[in-house]
Structures are given as C-alpha cells and as structure tokens.
Amino acid sequence: MSPQSSSQQTRSSDRVADDDTRRANALAHLLLNGALVVLFGALFVQAGALPSSMWEPLGSGSFPRLVLAVLMVINLGIMAQEWRRYRGAPRASAGLVKRWMWRHRLALGVLALFALYIVGVPMLGFRLASLLFLTLVQLTLGVRRPRSLAIAAIIAVTFSFGIDWLFRDVFIISLPRGPFG
Amino acid sequence: MTEALFAGMDQLFTLPTMATMLLGVVAGVIASAIPGFTITMAIVLTLPLTFTMDPLQGVATMLAVYVGGYSGGLISAALLGIPGTPSSVATTFDAFPMARSGQPGRALALGIWSSFFGALVSAIVLIIAAPPLAMIAVKLGAWEYFSLIIFAMTVVASLVGKSMLKGLMTGLLGLFIATVGADPMMGVARFTFDFDLLANGFPFLVVLIGIFAVSQLLQEVEDAEQTKHGKQLIPANVAFKPLDALRETLTYPINLIRSSLVGVFIGAVPGAGGSIANLLAYDQAKRASKTPEKFGTGTPEGVIASESGNSATSGGGLIPMIALGIPGSAVDAVLMASLMVHGIGIGPRLILDHGDLVYGMFMAMLLAAFMVLVVCLFSMRFFLRVTDVPRSVIVPVVLVCCVVGAFALNNRVTDIYLLLGVGVFGYILSKLDYPLAPLVLGVILGPIAETNLRRALMTDENWTLFFTRPISLTLLILAVVSVAFAIRHRLRQRHTAKPA
C-alpha cells in the first residue's frame, strides 16, 4: 500500500533478525496485546450500555462491540503466537533495556522534545514554541559547526515566524498566539 | 460527459490553479528526492495549504505533488542508491549501477521519460475505467457496500506487512478508533468518557499525520545514526541528453506499456501501491527480457520498468476512490480528505453530482504528468542538490508542519494533543512490526462500514441477505479467498525458509 510499508518491513526484518532482542520483542508483544485485550474487554462491556434505537435493530453499541470482539480474538491469537516465540527464544543478555535505550536515544530525545513542544504551543504560542523546538532538535541531531549553526538559526526563524505569517496573513488561519502574541 | 469535461477544463486551466499545480510539482519532486521524506508526508503537509483554495484547485495541487513525488524518488535512487521513497526501491537496482558506471544523466533521463509515460498511461486508464465503474457502483446497496469494505480490509491486511493477523488487528483498530465520538446515525457520544479531547472523536487526518509522519520521522532519526549519505555520489557535472533517452525509452514499448499497466492494476487494488508496483513491474520485465542476466547491472530495461510501474499507480489509485469512495492508499485518503474538507461527499455519486470536478481531476493528472516532465527536464541540475538536505533539518521542520496541519484542520489545540498520542502509539506499533497503513484505512472506512451495516439491517432485518445477494456474496467470497491466499502464501514462505 503506502510507500511506507516496505521501508517498515525492511527495518522490521532487521530488528526481528536480532537474536538478542527476540525474547524481549515477544515479551513486548505479550504486554501490549495483553493490555489491549483488557482494554477492549472493558470497552466491550461499556459499549453494551450504549442506548439502543427503536428505529433500527442495531443500536449505537452494536458495531463497536462487533469490532471489539473480533479485536479481542485477534489479540489473543497474536499473544498465542508470541508466547510460543517467547518460550523458544534464548534468554536475553543482561543490560538489554539499557542498550536499547542508548541505541534509541536520539529518537527518544526528539520524541521528548516533541512532547514538550506540543504542550508548549498553547502556553508559549506557535512562534516561540516552534523557534525553540526547531533549534533544540537541530542541536540534538548533531548540528555543531558555525556554518551549520547559522543555517539552523535561519531554518528555525523561517519555519516558526515564517509559517505563522503565512497562515495568519495569507491563509487567514490564526495559529496559537500565546502570551507573547 | 463532454459538458462536464469542458467545465472541468474551464476550472483547471486558470492561472491560479496552474500556478499552484506547478508549485506542487516542484514541491513533490524536491520532497521525494530527499531520502526519508515520503510522498505521503509531502501530500499530508500540502493539505492544510489547500483549505483556502476552491475544491478543484486544492485537489489538483495535491495531485501535482503526488505525480511529482513519484518522479522525485528517482533522483536519490539513481544518484545515491537510496530510494527517496520506497516506491523507488527497484529503481536503485539498475539506475544506481548505471549512474556509478559514469552515466548518471542517462539514468535520470530514462527514469523521467518512463515516469512520464507511466503517469500518462495511468491517466488514460483512469479516464476510461472510472466512470463506468462508478455507474455500476451507484447501483450497489448497503449490503454490497458493507461487503466491499470487508473485502478491501482483508486485501489490505493480507498485502501489507509480514503477519496477516497484525494487519487485521491494525485494520480493526482503525475501525474501532472511528467509532469514538458521535455515532454516525444517532449522534450518541461513544467512548468519550466526558473528555473534551475525545468529544469530537479522532479526526482521521490527525490519525493519518500522527501515524505516517510522526512515527516515520522517529524511525528516520534512528536510521540517521546508521546511514551517512549525501557525500559521495553526486557528480559535479551530469551529462543530460533527454532526447537520446526518449529514443531509448521508446525502443522498449512493450516493457513500458506492461510495466505501466502493472502499476495501474496494483494502484487500483486497495492496500497495494507504488512500493509493490515498482518491484512487480521490475520482476515482470526481468522475466520477459531476452537478457535477464543484465538486470541489476545498469540495464535501461530495469529503470524503465520500475519508474513507469511506480508512476502508473498514481492514476490507478484514483479508480477505486472516484468510482467507489474507497481510497486505494494513504495518499488517496488525503486526496479524499481535501474534498471532504470542502463538504464534497466521496462515493460513486461523486461523478454524477460533481462531474466537472472529477473530469477536472482527470485532466489535472494529465497536466501534472506534462508539468513533471517539463520541470524535471529543465531543472534536473538544481534538483540534484536537494538530496543533500540533512535529516537534522528535515525532521524538526516536518514535525512543525505536522503540528500546523493538525491544528489548522479545525483550529483546535486538542487535535495536536491527539497528534502526539497517535504518533507515539504509531511509533510503538511500528517498533513491534505492526503495519500502519490498515489502521488509517480502517479509520476512514469505519463510518462507511457502520452506516451501511446499520442501514442494511434497518431496510431488512434479515442478515442472510449479505450472503444471498449475488454481488455481496461475491465480495465476501473474494474476502475469504484473499485471506486464504495470504495464509497459503505465508505457509509456503515458512516452508521454503525451513532448512531441508
């Protein structure tokens, strides 16, 4: 389908091929799918309380219940598959979580900055929050040399103040202004 | 039809529309030439810019980005060996060796012409196939529509990713996500838990941006540590002889037409797309070639097959969208969204109610193909430089654009909180090998599936009608067959993977 799918598959195969992480991967599946089964179960019960209609045989809750029931079955199926993998995989070496965190430090760092940015947009306004976010992420991703720093500053200003101007004055869509308006 | 065609052309051939289309083509080529920046991201980021345009101008601009994007992926594939988009994977097999052997200009020019012919063939098939299919589709009842969606979901789940169970799981998760918020028939609030954040449900564009842009960009950050690019392979002077390449491209007419038709067909299958089409077209070309041993060493046949195959999916993907209201891919879903933002309902009646718009879209496809050709032929040397843009710039800039896109949709801050949640969830799913495309299609098709199921049972409570009405039954059988084929295919793969 989408162009992303094949890249996802390529990356995924690399990950799965890693023997050391196979058990951890299966465990992560068990935890995620287990949590989803519980969540879907609770929602299934909640959907039963939604009002029915005198005009139609199916009420508001019927379709979600149908979907949630199938989702629970599929998640249990995935858990059964992953349980077999978990049992059959060699025990992961010590410090795997630490190594994983270290290997993903950039992605996790960018994600943390993105979360702060999302929270910051209504508080600081789009322009200021974007300026800070663009600068910090570029620094996080390794911009160090003076020339790169100058380019990073231009990009930060262009895509914070520039986008704000474009949307406010050209498209007449006001982005969050914050206290510094 | 002629009246609608002329009305569409009248709206299309205006200065503002052609100007924004030209910008769209340039943006599409540039965006896709940057490794890691996919066509879907480019389309998603274009969407908020079209809110203030009239419907045809907006969708024509996005089509221009779409068609331009398929050509842009060629640049980094040929010169760096890194597919700008996954739909250019097969292009690296021959265009890159050709470029490394000292003929980068030939590789690029062959790719540009092949892309052009692929897009042209797909636009012609679209014009011929979509209207009659839509005429049949308007006669479908709620039973058939529900079964059609079941079929589409099973095809998507079985084609994408390595595990069908995971594909089905994310597809159904998408269907469930679509049920959050107001019920489409009675307006009853569902699963909102009195949170303002959930009161309006999950706008599917927010889901789309979160899933395809945010989680994808985080993956790019991971990859940035492992791959260094942009330093070794762009030659200072590229000998670019487009007329020689045109003659060479036309010496393989069967390859060109076959690969284009493969692209159209794959594009029309919901769930398939450019990433599959280029590989399949390449494979078919290799099987049919008199010199298959030359594939992978820089043969023009390989470049022609891959590039015409992936470009042809652009028109193919529009066939189910226009005729049936079912988006063939995430990109088509965004195109659908751009029309829905303007209050235009998508479905088989689209061509009847807005014939001028649909024929305008057809003409926009053709026009975009010509624009891409002209832009690429005249500005190739400039575009070669964009492959140098580092990820440290792309990632934060695109993330900011994602936030703008999510916010500008409804001017709601809560939508950007949802964007963060969906992005993080999508990242977790992708780390665990869950295909994300079915989720987005599920969110889009969910309300259509529910409305048709409930409407069918309101009309007649007898549920066996889903199995006794011939078209509905055929679609359900096809759904079962697609699942059975996927299971058989995977069992075979597992069997051959086992050591003897």
Side-chain angles (χ1 to χ4, degrees):
Chain A
M1 123 148 249
S2 77
Q4 278 84 354
S5 54
S6 82
S7 70
Q8 274 173 20
Q9 286 166 27
T10 315
R11 288 175 187 133
S12 304
S13 58
D14 292 340
R15 282 195 299 275
V16 173
D18 186 357
D19 262 1
D20 199 36
T21 58
R22 219 188 303 159
R23 191 178 169 96
N25 193 297
L27 181 63
H29 272 99
L30 288 171
L31 291 173
L32 175 76
N33 295 107
L36 288 176
V37 168
V38 174
L39 174 71
F40 295 147
L43 291 170
F44 182 86
V45 174
Q46 216 233 359
L50 288 167
S52 54
S53 165
M54 60 186 295
W55 307 108
E56 53 166 336
L58 294 182
S60 297
S62 305
F63 182 75
R65 288 191 107 194
L66 180 69
V67 173
L68 287 164
V70 183
L71 268 172
M72 279 191 282
V73 172
I74 289 177
N75 271 279
L76 287 170
I78 295 172
M79 284 178 78
Q81 278 183 347
E82 294 300 329
W83 176 247
R84 277 203 302 275
R85 280 194 194 128
Y86 180 74
R87 297 279 304 267
R91 188 171 288 275
S93 54
L96 182 68
V97 176
K98 246 187 201 173
R99 283 203 304 279
W100 188 91
M101 297 285 279
W102 178 251
R103 215 169 51 227
H104 294 80
R105 65 193 183 284
L106 277 184
L108 295 173
V110 170
L111 182 60
L113 285 172
F114 186 58
L116 287 173
Y117 171 52
I118 295 277
V119 176
V121 166
M123 289 163 66
L124 301 173
F126 173 79
R127 279 184 300 192
L128 187 57
S130 301
L131 184 72
L132 289 170
F133 174 72
L134 285 159
T135 309
L136 290 173
V137 173
Q138 289 184 86
L139 289 173
T140 306
L141 294 180
V143 173
R144 294 287 182 274
R145 291 180 190 154
R147 187 167 172 265
S148 308
L149 285 169
I151 294 171
I154 294 169
I155 287 167
V157 172
T158 308
F159 285 91
S160 52
F161 285 80
I163 287 186
D164 187 61
W165 168 82
L166 181 74
F167 272 79
R168 195 179 57 234
D169 293 344
V170 180
F171 300 134
I172 325 291
I173 294 172
S174 183
L175 299 173
R177 308 295 291 269
F180 309 105
Chain B
M1 176 190 154
T2 323
E3 213 171 280
L5 179 68
F6 281 112
M9 283 168 68
D10 195 37
Q11 289 177 46
L12 186 72
F13 292 103
T14 59
L15 193 60
T17 305
M18 289 179 64
T20 52
M21 278 186 75
L22 189 62
L23 282 174
V25 163
V26 173
V29 174
I30 290 177
S32 300
I34 300 170
F37 203 119
T38 62
I39 299 170
T40 315
M41 277 192 220
I43 292 271
V44 164
L45 298 180
T46 311
L47 180 65
L49 307 178
T50 66
F51 289 169
T52 52
M53 299 177 187
D54 67 57
L56 182 60
Q57 187 186 5
V59 80
T61 305
M62 291 175 70
L63 281 171
V65 176
Y66 190 13
V67 178
Y70 275 115
S71 299
L74 157 76
I75 298 171
S76 52
L79 299 180
L80 301 174
I82 303 169
T85 68
S87 50
S88 315
V89 169
T91 309
T92 60
F93 299 165
D94 280 293
F96 184 54
M98 191 184 276
R100 293 209 84 176
S101 66
Q103 305 177 78
R106 183 182 170 213
L108 289 171
L110 277 172
I112 291 167
W113 282 113
S114 308
S115 277
F116 169 70
F117 285 116
L120 202 64
V121 169
S122 80
I124 293 166
V125 176
L126 172 69
I127 293 168
I128 295 168
L133 193 57
M135 295 304 159
I136 296 167
V138 284
K139 294 181 181 128
L140 299 181
W143 300 267
E144 286 77 18
Y145 239 82
F146 179 75
S147 303
L148 180 64
I149 289 166
I150 298 289
F151 172 54
M153 293 298 294
T154 53
V155 171
V156 173
S158 52
L159 276 177
V160 180
K162 288 190 295 184
S163 157
M164 198 180 64
L165 266 187
K166 288 183 172 178
L168 282 172
M169 143 72 183
T170 48
L172 285 161
L173 191 59
L175 287 183
F176 171 71
I177 287 172
T179 65
V180 177
D183 158 11
M185 305 272 286
M186 295 162 63
V188 175
R190 299 188 293 197
F191 311 115
T192 58
F193 305 101
D194 294 329
F195 287 131
D196 285 346
L197 189 73
L198 299 174
N200 298 297
F202 288 82
F204 78 79
L205 275 169
V206 174
V207 176
L208 192 99
I209 297 171
I211 288 288
F212 278 112
V214 176
S215 63
Q216 176 80 16
L217 285 167
L218 292 172
Q219 297 270 14
E220 287 303 324
V221 174
E222 284 176 28
D223 288 357
E225 286 182 280
Q226 293 154 19
T227 54
K228 304 285 178 209
H229 67 82
K231 56 186 177 189
Q232 74 277 36
L233 293 164
I234 301 180
N237 289 308
V238 175
F240 196 60
K241 295 174 183 165
L243 287 180
D244 290 353
L246 172 63
R247 273 192 287 274
E248 192 173 5
T249 308
L250 292 175
T251 54
Y252 301 100
I254 295 172
N255 183 2
L256 199 59
I257 293 168
R258 182 187 51 237
S259 304
S260 302
L261 291 177
V262 166
V264 173
F265 178 74
I266 295 292
V269 176
S275 51
I276 298 173
N278 76 114
L279 291 165
L280 200 61
Y282 185 88
D283 182 55
Q284 293 299 315
K286 189 176 176 182
R287 283 170 197 268
S289 172
K290 287 174 188 160
T291 52
E293 71 283 356
K294 286 188 178 170
F295 276 70
T297 61
T299 177
E301 287 178 87
V303 182
I304 291 167
S306 170
E307 279 303 304
S308 54
N310 72 19
S311 291
T313 54
S314 52
L318 289 181
I319 296 173
M321 188 192 108
I322 289 175
L324 308 167
I326 291 178
S329 68
V331 175
D332 299 316
V334 189
L335 289 171
M336 254 177 89
S338 76
L339 294 175
M340 288 159 80
V341 164
H342 291 284
I344 295 170
I346 309 293
R349 285 206 64 84
L350 177 70
I351 205 161
L352 300 174
D353 298 340
H354 301 278
D356 53 339
L357 179 71
V358 172
Y359 282 98
M361 284 168 68
F362 293 163
M363 296 313 294
M365 280 287 300
L366 283 170
L367 183 61
F370 279 105
M371 280 183 169
V372 170
L373 181 71
V374 173
V375 164
C376 284
L377 291 180
F378 285 97
S379 324
M380 185 45 77
R381 284 180 183 83
F382 163 74
F383 289 129
L384 298 180
R385 298 285 151 236
V386 303
T387 50
D388 266 340
V389 179
R391 284 183 169 103
S392 60
V393 172
I394 299 166
V395 171
V397 166
V398 177
L399 283 173
V400 167
C401 294
C402 289
V403 169
V404 173
F407 176 83
L409 184 66
N410 295 308
N411 276 13
R412 275 198 309 249
V413 173
T414 49
D415 282 351
I416 63 173
Y417 298 145
L418 283 177
L419 174 76
L420 174 66
V422 171
V424 171
F425 187 60
Y427 181 57
I428 293 169
L429 288 180
S430 68
K431 295 299 296 176
L432 292 174
D433 293 326
Y434 281 92
L436 301 177
L439 191 148
V440 174
L441 289 188
V443 174
I444 295 162
L445 296 177
I448 308 172
E450 181 175 4
T451 307
N452 281 292
L453 175 66
R454 289 167 71 174
R455 202 172 282 162
L457 293 172
M458 270 169 85
T459 313
D460 192 325
E461 285 190 31
N462 180 8
W463 58 268
T464 59
L465 284 173
F466 285 102
F467 303 98
T468 53
R469 290 173 67 105
I471 297 175
S472 175
L473 177 67
T474 308
L475 290 165
L476 289 175
I477 290 172
L478 285 172
V480 173
V481 168
S482 74
V483 171
F485 262 99
I487 292 171
R488 185 167 161 260
H489 178 67
R490 285 195 165 94
L491 285 176
R492 268 189 176 183
Q493 272 185 329
R494 202 176 295 172
H495 185 69
T496 49
K498 274 185 187 169

